[in-house]
Structure formats: C-alpha cells, structure tokens
Amino acid sequence: MARFKLTLEYEGGGFVGWQRQTNGLSVQQVVEEAFQKFCGEDITTHVAGRTDAGVHATGQVCHSDIEKETDADTVRDALNFHMKPHAVSVLAVEEVSDEFHARFSATSRAYTYKILNRRPPPAIGARLVWWVPQDLDADAMHAGAQHLLGNHDFTTFRAAGCQADSPVKTLDEFNVERDGEYVFIHAKARSFLYHQVRNMVGSLKLVGEGKWPADKMADVLAACDRAAGGPTAPPEGLYLTRVTY
C-alpha cells in the first residue's frame, strides 16, 4: 500500500463543499468516486482544510492510501480522466511516507479573497468573485487588517457552529491590495476558525466603504463578540491557495 499526496484545484460553485453530505455533490465524493473507477478500491481522502459550499481552491491538498501498484503520474492522469466533467483538477501527485497527513502535517494555510470593485456587475465569472459596486479604499482596508495580526482570541470572527477547541489563533499575514478593478485580500495562518476569513473580510469591507475607521478593527477584535463584527462575506470570493508542510 502506498500513500499519495494530491494537490487539487476546483471551482466550488457547483459543490456543497469539500466534505461528503447528503444534500448534494461534494468535491470529496468526486475524488473518491474517481479513485474507485481507477483502482476498484473504496478510498478515503483526508484533506488539509474543508472548504464550504461555493469556496474555491487553487492549492488544496489531500492524501489517500492505495493498494493498487501504480505511480504518481498515473494517479494524476487517471483521476483527471474519471473526474470529468466536474470542475476539479488534480494538479500534482506525490508519493509520501506513511507519516504524512494532509491535515495534521500542515504548518500553514493561505487564502485569498477576491473582490470585483466596480459599478457594473460581472457578466463572466460571477461565481468567482464578490461584486462590490461601492468604491473601496484598499489602503484603509490594509491598515485595518494589520490590527488583526498576531495571536488573539478571534471570537468576533468565529461563526456559530465552529468546532475548534479554542478561539485563539495566530494570524501570520493579512494583506489587502488593489489591482485595477479587483481588491485582493490575502490571509495566512497555521489554521483558521470556521468562517474566520469571510467574517474578517466582511468587516474590512465596512472600513473600505468608509463606514468604519481602520483602527476600529482593534476594538472589534477586542470585543470577542460576533455581534461586534461586520457581515460574513459570501463564499464565492474565497480561494484556498496554498498549504505548507
């Protein structure tokens, strides 16, 4: 039996999320059914981070154990063949040791949130961005984001239903930049609370619109109260971009 590490890309709009559920098609189901067609085995995939419905990935990682004699390139090509026509692609496969675990071996996870900031709505790729027609001040958003860096109690940005043992996390990077009509928000940490990134982005939008001063983010964080934070940003703008080991 061999263990393989998979790096995946997918468009989350057509899925109920990564994890198998009874109410629709998940990315996990697509991958595991492709494994079954390839090697005739009921494979379980273990993922670095479970993404919600509508959330995308350009660098998701999972691992699986396969009894069939095979190699990494064959696994990649076979899975991509059997996953058609679903919007999931295996970008790379690597054989790893039995000690490797996609979730528990990870040292950091990086997300990017993409906002289309213009008056006209998108005619193409509407499921891939958060369209915000109001003018956003990306510099003010970046200034606000810096108040969240470091080790804090992130209860204000924690969604109901979060199963993490503690609301304390360390946010290593949180940057905002504008590129033409787009505003990109980059976040990096070892791990995140449920909806933490989307809740932080929703608060930064209020800063970008001028409804909050940038330094209010410090007070919002210190409140340790979800009601003190801004709205939850929609899932379609969020991308899991990188998992580091």
Side-chain angles (χ1 to χ4, degrees):
M1 181 177 290
R3 178 163 294 184
F4 290 93
K5 171 191 172 187
L6 284 64
T7 302
L8 304 169
E9 173 183 277
Y10 51 85
E11 198 246 279
F15 299 105
V16 294
W18 166 268
Q19 190 173 20
R20 278 183 179 266
Q21 299 181 47
T22 58
N23 62 329
L25 184 67
S26 68
V27 181
Q28 182 180 25
Q29 179 180 341
V30 169
V31 175
E32 291 178 350
E33 288 181 354
F35 264 121
Q36 212 287 328
K37 292 174 183 176
F38 163 53
C39 59
E41 302 171 35
D42 292 328
I43 302 291
T44 299
T45 57
H46 303 272
V47 74
R50 292 179 294 182
T51 50
D52 293 332
V55 175
H56 320 292
T58 58
Q60 176 70 281
V61 174
C62 67
H63 82 261
S64 300
D65 296 328
I66 307 175
E67 294 183 4
K68 179 184 177 73
E69 279 289 327
T70 188
D71 60 75
D73 287 348
T74 300
V75 172
R76 179 198 62 209
D77 295 343
L79 292 182
N80 283 333
F81 175 80
H82 289 298
M83 289 191 300
K84 294 185 294 188
H86 300 294
V88 185
S89 178
V90 179
L91 302 179
V93 176
E94 176 186 355
E95 187 169 351
V96 292
S97 71
D98 291 345
E99 284 72 40
F100 175 84
H101 193 285
R103 178 184 175 191
F104 299 118
S105 300
T107 57
S108 71
R109 295 160 177 84
Y111 288 86
T112 292
Y113 198 95
K114 187 175 182 180
I115 297 174
L116 176 62
N117 186 213
R118 71 182 190 192
R119 292 298 299 175
I124 299 172
R127 297 198 306 182
L128 303 177
V129 296
W130 182 15
W131 171 54
V132 177
Q134 300 85 4
D135 288 339
L136 295 177
D137 183 340
D139 291 337
M141 294 170 70
H142 179 76
Q146 304 318 292
H147 290 286
L148 305 186
L149 289 175
N151 182 258
H152 303 287
D153 181 331
F154 282 95
T155 295
T156 295
F157 305 104
R158 181 183 192 176
C162 179
Q163 298 179 0
D165 294 333
S166 168
V168 177
K169 295 290 180 182
T170 300
L171 187 59
D172 298 315
E173 296 179 13
F174 200 31
N175 301 312
V176 183
E177 60 180 353
R178 176 177 287 279
D179 184 2
E181 296 178 331
Y182 293 93
V183 174
F184 296 98
I185 302 170
H186 308 286
K188 178 183 175 183
R190 182 179 182 89
S191 61
F192 291 89
L193 300 169
Y194 184 47
H195 286 182
Q196 180 182 344
V197 176
R198 289 168 57 192
N199 289 335
M200 293 190 300
V201 169
S203 292
L204 286 182
K205 175 177 176 284
L206 299 179
V207 174
E209 291 176 324
K211 295 179 179 178
W212 286 1
D215 58 7
K216 182 171 179 176
M217 292 296 290
D219 297 331
V220 168
L221 173 67
C224 294
D225 180 0
R226 180 68 194 101
T232 303
E236 54 263 25
L238 186 60
Y239 297 74
L240 173 57
T241 57
R242 187 175 68 258
V243 183
T244 304
Y245 294 93

